[in-house]
Amino acid sequence: MQITKMNLKPFYALWLVMTAAYAVWMAFFLKFDTYPGNETGINGSVGRYIAWGIFSVVALLLFQLYIKLFFGEKKPGKGLRLFCLINLLFGFAFITWYGFFRNPLELTASMIGLEFPWHFKMWGLFASLSIFTNVLYAYRMDNYCGKLGITCGSIGCAAIFVTINVPSAGEDLILNSLRCMSHWTGALLFAFLGAGSIVIFLLHKTREKNIRYTIVTVLFGAVLALMLVLLVTVGKNGLIESLPMWAAYLVLFLINFTGLFRTKESPVLEQPKEAVTK
């Protein structure tokens, strides 16, 4: 399938449904929950709640625009390339800075968010925006019609908006707690589906028998596996939580803004000219 003939309507529909569901949840359900205002940053003020609700809904609607921009008839130019680079660097810097508000060996981003709820909201917003747009850029510049990857990335980015609105219930997994399960579900969907959108692209590129893509795919998979092992053996903390995100930022930077994976093109052989007979 040619990239310019890719049907984008299913992605628009997906984002409209997710955004509408989020807007209804914000308007009619979340505001009646009993989460302490100091843990959400929004329940203590009606005006602040409304402002955040409108802002976050608009932020979700913009994800449709990103898809349209990157998968238009023309490939992204220097402007979008610069936008992605700034997004990537700022996203990496922000989540790293935020993660050290408190000792990352003791607290996760969610636990830090109980004390810094607005920073946690921006953490989710910047992380989803920077990773999603750079995945789209990688797909588009490679002319890759990765429908599954775009779908995974879309659902993951929408899910993190649940997590940043529902404060953490603590380090333990409480299966009968709606607050705990909502927070964890959003975070896990963002982590696994976001990583999945990158893995799908890497696996696609390994078929080209580019050894560098193969090495990066193995290393990225190893980081994800290491995180799971550490979660089981050591437990949750900010550093373990940040490992796959740092790896994702590094992989996307290498793909989009370096020539690491570039291979020498075979020279074009000129066709012999026909002899001119007199």
Side-chain angles (χ1 to χ4, degrees):
M1 178 192 298
Q2 294 181 8
I3 200 79
T4 55
K5 295 182 179 180
M6 184 175 176
N7 184 10
L8 302 179
K9 291 182 180 179
F11 302 123
Y12 299 156
L14 174 63
W15 272 107
L16 282 174
V17 169
M18 293 190 297
T19 304
Y22 173 82
V24 170
W25 177 60
M26 287 288 292
F28 298 105
F29 297 101
L30 183 62
K31 68 178 181 179
F32 295 114
D33 288 341
T34 57
Y35 307 137
N38 64 316
E39 293 182 2
T40 63
I42 57 176
N43 285 352
S45 168
V46 175
R48 188 181 299 176
Y49 183 91
I50 294 174
W52 165 248
I54 295 174
F55 176 81
S56 56
V57 167
V58 171
L60 285 172
L61 287 173
L62 286 176
F63 279 84
Q64 299 175 68
L65 176 61
Y66 305 142
I67 295 175
K68 183 176 182 179
L69 285 175
F70 285 99
F71 288 91
E73 293 185 1
K74 295 182 179 180
K75 278 192 174 183
K78 293 182 179 179
L80 279 180
R81 177 181 173 84
L82 181 61
F83 171 74
C84 287
L85 178 59
I86 293 174
N87 250 338
L88 194 72
L89 295 178
F90 182 79
F92 169 78
F94 188 91
I95 68 163
T96 303
W97 173 64
Y98 170 82
F100 283 88
F101 277 12
R102 292 292 180 263
N103 187 349
L105 293 175
E106 297 178 358
L107 297 179
T108 62
S110 296
M111 294 301 293
I112 295 173
L114 294 176
E115 189 175 351
F116 301 95
W118 284 105
H119 291 81
F120 184 52
K121 286 176 171 55
M122 294 302 104
W123 176 91
L125 177 63
F126 294 141
S128 58
L129 172 63
S130 56
I131 291 176
F132 187 72
T133 53
N134 274 274
V135 168
L136 292 182
Y137 185 75
Y139 282 27
R140 183 63 178 90
M141 296 306 291
D142 191 65
N143 289 324
Y144 175 52
C145 303
K147 293 183 178 180
L148 178 60
I150 298 173
T151 302
C152 287
S154 296
I155 296 174
C157 288
I160 198 63
F161 277 72
V162 174
T163 296
I164 61 178
N165 279 294
V166 179
S168 172
E171 296 293 352
D172 296 327
L173 179 62
I174 309 171
L175 296 178
N176 62 349
S177 168
L178 180 60
R179 169 177 172 173
C180 179
M181 296 308 296
S182 299
H183 184 89
W184 272 66
T185 300
L188 290 175
L189 284 175
F190 173 66
F192 284 103
L193 295 181
S197 66
I198 299 174
V199 171
I200 288 170
F201 178 77
L202 291 175
L203 291 176
H204 159 71
K205 295 300 291 182
T206 57
R207 298 174 187 171
E208 299 178 359
K209 298 182 179 180
N210 185 328
I211 188 62
R212 295 176 183 176
Y213 270 112
T214 302
I215 293 172
V216 169
T217 302
V218 172
L219 291 177
F220 188 61
V223 171
L224 298 179
L226 176 62
M227 180 201 69
L228 294 176
V229 171
L230 290 175
L231 284 175
V232 173
T233 57
V234 178
K236 293 190 301 178
N237 67 49
L239 285 181
I240 294 175
E241 181 182 68
S242 296
L243 276 177
M245 296 191 71
W246 288 334
Y249 279 111
L250 177 60
V251 169
L252 289 171
F253 179 79
L254 293 175
I255 293 173
N256 290 339
F257 305 107
T258 72
L260 177 65
F261 303 101
R262 197 172 298 148
T263 57
K264 293 182 179 180
E265 297 181 358
S266 301
V268 178
L269 299 177
E270 293 184 1
Q271 296 295 330
K273 296 180 180 180
E274 295 181 1
V276 179
T277 57
K278 295 183 180 180

